[in-house]
């Protein structure tokens, strides 16, 4: 049995877990999923600090609600959804700040860190930049479909929208990316 399954517990839904079992499970989950969740948050926000904070908030929430989890096999999906929702809040906060004060100054926009070095090719950097300029829902769908490699159904479930909306937003986003980058569809 994998350490993750052992740490998450074999007791099933509703069965009490000791605090030690919960701490072990959360430690294994953090080690296993933290990097992927941070990359997801970064892809959605473009800000490493906000991405790390979203992941931290997701794990704090999981810790707080551990005893009430119904399906421990869906913990990764719970964490992903929590990160996506927190990233949405980041965008709402930014929009509120922009409306309340002035347009974002370049020095307030987080610059890419180590991720920029990982994007070795100029074409990859251009795509990432263009995805950041997509409307929020289109950006979320593109990240889920092509970065996380989720199916249309999984994307719909994660974003709490219909499969038809996933298709519509993906189609519009891809068309916009093709137009902006001067590539034939």
């Amino acid at each position: 049995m994998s350490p993750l399954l052992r740490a998450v517990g074999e007791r099933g839904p509703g069965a009490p877990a000791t605090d030690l079992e919960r701490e072990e499970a959360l430690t294994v989950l953090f080690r296993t999923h933290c990097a992927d969740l941070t990359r997801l948050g970064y892809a959605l926000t473009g800000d490493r600090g906000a991405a790390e904070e979203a992941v931290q908030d997701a794990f704090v929430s999981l810790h707080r609600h551990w005893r009430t989890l119904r399906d421990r096999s869906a913990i990764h999906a719970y964490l992903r959804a929590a990160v996506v929702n927190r990233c949405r809040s980041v965008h709402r906060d930014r929009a509120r700040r922009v409306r309340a004060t002035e347009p974002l100054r370049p020095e307030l926009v987080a610059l890419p860190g180590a991720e920029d070095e990982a994007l070795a090719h100029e074409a990859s950097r251009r795509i990432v930049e263009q995805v950041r300029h997509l409307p929020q829902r289109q950006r979320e769908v593109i990240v889920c479909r092509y970065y996380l490699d989720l199916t249309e159904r999984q994307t719909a479930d994660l974003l709490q929208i219909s499969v038809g909306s996933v298709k519509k937003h993906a189609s519009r986003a891809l068309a916009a990316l093709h137009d902006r980058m001067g590539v034939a569809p």
Side-chain angles (χ1 to χ4, degrees):
M1 177 182 297
S2 76
L4 179 59
L5 290 177
R6 189 170 36 258
V8 169
E10 305 161 324
R11 297 172 184 233
T18 66
D19 288 338
L20 181 59
E21 289 172 334
R22 176 178 59 181
E23 298 306 321
E24 288 175 3
L26 288 169
T27 299
V28 172
L29 287 165
F30 185 81
R31 287 183 184 148
T32 306
H33 299 295
C34 181
D36 290 338
L37 293 170
T38 302
R39 284 191 292 272
L40 169 63
Y42 181 80
L44 293 172
T45 64
D47 180 344
R48 183 179 175 100
E52 290 173 348
E53 188 172 321
V55 172
Q56 180 181 4
D57 289 348
F59 276 98
V60 167
S61 177
L62 179 61
H63 184 271
R64 187 177 305 126
H65 298 102
W66 184 263
R67 294 184 195 273
T68 61
L69 290 176
R70 289 180 298 208
D71 184 6
R72 294 206 175 139
S73 65
I75 288 176
H76 187 239
Y78 172 87
L79 289 169
R80 262 197 321 232
V83 169
V84 168
N85 289 334
R86 178 65 181 121
C87 290
R88 286 178 178 163
S89 295
V90 168
H91 285 290
R92 281 192 298 271
D93 293 345
R94 285 180 183 168
R96 230 179 275 122
R97 188 174 47 229
V98 167
R99 284 192 307 267
T101 59
E102 59 188 63
L104 276 174
R105 296 185 314 263
E107 62 269 18
L108 294 179
V109 178
L111 298 174
E115 291 80 8
D116 188 46
E117 294 173 20
L119 297 173
H121 304 344
E122 182 60 31
S124 295
R125 279 192 285 271
R126 286 182 54 220
I127 290 171
V128 169
E129 185 60 32
Q130 293 305 318
V131 168
R132 286 187 187 143
H133 292 305
L134 291 172
Q136 179 180 345
R137 185 66 77 185
Q138 290 178 11
R139 183 176 52 249
E140 291 172 353
V141 168
I142 290 296
V143 167
C144 289
R145 290 285 289 130
Y146 301 105
Y147 180 75
L148 293 177
D149 200 27
L150 298 178
T151 65
E152 289 171 342
R153 168 57 45 207
Q154 291 169 325
T155 300
D157 291 344
L158 178 63
L159 299 178
Q160 297 176 340
I161 59 177
S162 69
V163 173
S165 292
V166 169
K167 292 177 181 180
K168 176 183 74 172
H169 290 301
S171 174
R172 289 180 180 175
L174 290 174
L177 290 172
H178 287 296
D179 287 346
R180 290 178 184 170
M181 298 185 74
V183 177

